Amino acid sequence: MAFAGTNISLSQPDITQKLTERIDDLKQKIAAWGKRIRRFTERSRQFNHNRLFQSDQKRLYKSLERSKVCGAGQGPDQADIIVFWRGLWSEPVNHSEGPWMEVVASQGASVTPMDPITITPEDVAEAKEISKHTKYDPPNRTAVDIIDTLRQKLAVKCNRLKRYQKSRKRREDNALFTKNEKLCYRRLQQSVNDTSGLPRRREDVEKFWRSIWSEKVIHNETATWITREEQRMLEVPEMQHVEITEEDVTQAVYKSPNWKATGPDKIHNFWLKKLFYTNQ
């Protein structure tokens, strides 16, 4: 006798071990499928919440406020409801009118009476405007619903104002770039908290270049790649000696853009052109 789909036979001596391994394998597969189903359910719930948030935020908030498990029990008895409200409104309550009542009365006497309020048609129209969250929702009945509607309208106005400010800043930057590139770049640098704008000190410039050209560095001169490169460079013709004159430096400086990004010395090419003594 053998199990269908397996090589397990009751005549085998290790039947218990093989059955245990088979059961463990099935348990792991079931657990893996269960986790996969839970992940899919969670992603589906998040996707539905995102879609509902884009279409109807009020409905989403109401669904989140509801408890996950809603009981379907019967409502309270009518007699209990009558007893509850009668205990609040019908039965007289004896209060202890202590001296604090006189204090409150004396302080309330100095309060200026409130002026009468006249409700205009504009007020009614405004109230009707906030009485509904969206055209698909029922009218707001409670103060919480009205506050929620006003809060979301305020958030929409704030987002619209932020978009307008970003759009205006982009237009200003584009217009400034066409008129004065230097000032545009300076403002961009200030936006990233680079407000110094001052050139480097002479000591810093000398220290920077001295660390590159003056200080001696010990290298591994016996490396194999050096020998390989020497053999490869034997076939390369030797470059003729080029003497850089003052005129070459002057022409190179005058051909360079005026306000191109500076190097570590923080000096623009404009000043190198005007201060021609620096080319000597």
Side-chain angles (χ1 to χ4, degrees), residues 20 57 80 85 87 139 159 189 214 216 223 225 243 249 275:
T20 304
Q57 297 181 9
D80 297 336
W85 289 108
N159 291 331
Q189 290 178 356
S214 300
K216 186 177 180 180
W225 67 269
E243 183 178 357
V249 176
L275 305 176

Side-chain angles (χ1 to χ4, degrees), residues 76-247:
D77 190 9
Q78 184 177 3
D80 297 336
I81 297 176
I82 294 174
V83 171
F84 174 77
W85 289 108
R86 184 174 294 160
L88 294 178
W89 300 107
S90 300
E91 298 179 0
V93 180
N94 297 324
H95 300 285
S96 59
E97 299 180 357
W100 64 272
M101 295 286 292
E102 298 178 358
V103 176
V104 173
S106 61
Q107 293 180 355
S110 59
V111 177
T112 305
M114 186 177 64
D115 297 334
I117 299 175
T118 303
I119 300 176
T120 61
E122 290 78 7
D123 299 333
V124 176
E126 185 177 359
K128 288 182 179 180
E129 184 180 356
I130 64 175
S131 62
K132 294 187 66 176
H133 189 74
T134 61
K135 62 180 181 180
Y136 302 104
D137 293 333
N140 295 326
R141 298 296 183 184
T142 62
V144 177
D145 296 338
I146 295 176
I147 292 174
D148 180 64
T149 301
L150 294 176
R151 185 184 294 113
Q152 295 190 25
K153 287 187 177 182
L154 180 61
V156 171
K157 295 289 185 181
C158 292
N159 291 331
R160 187 179 302 173
L161 181 60
K162 291 179 181 178
R163 291 196 301 269
Y164 169 75
Q165 291 178 351
K166 289 182 179 180
S167 177
R168 186 184 65 178
K169 188 176 183 302
R170 285 196 296 267
R171 290 196 300 268
E172 291 178 354
D173 291 342
N174 294 335
L176 184 61
F177 182 80
T178 56
K179 295 180 180 179
N180 191 344
E181 296 183 11
K182 180 181 178 181
L183 183 58
C184 180
Y185 292 140
R186 183 179 299 173
R187 288 188 178 181
L188 293 177
Q189 290 178 356
Q190 291 177 356
S191 62
V192 293
N193 298 327
D194 186 10
T195 58
S196 59
L198 298 176
R200 298 286 184 88
R201 295 183 304 173
R202 180 178 178 181
E203 294 79 5
D204 297 336
V205 177
E206 292 180 355
K207 182 180 179 181
F208 174 79
W209 290 109
R210 186 179 293 113
S211 62
I212 297 177
W213 301 108
S214 300
E215 297 180 1
K216 186 177 180 180
V217 180
I218 300 175
H219 301 284
N220 183 14
E221 299 180 357
T222 61
T224 56
W225 67 269
I226 296 179
T227 306
R228 185 171 60 252
E229 290 297 324
E230 288 178 351
Q231 296 295 332
R232 188 176 65 86
M233 296 300 293
L234 290 176
E235 301 177 358
V236 178
E238 185 178 358
M239 186 179 66
Q240 298 180 359
H241 177 70
V242 178
E243 183 178 357
I244 300 176
T245 62
E246 182 180 344
E247 295 180 358

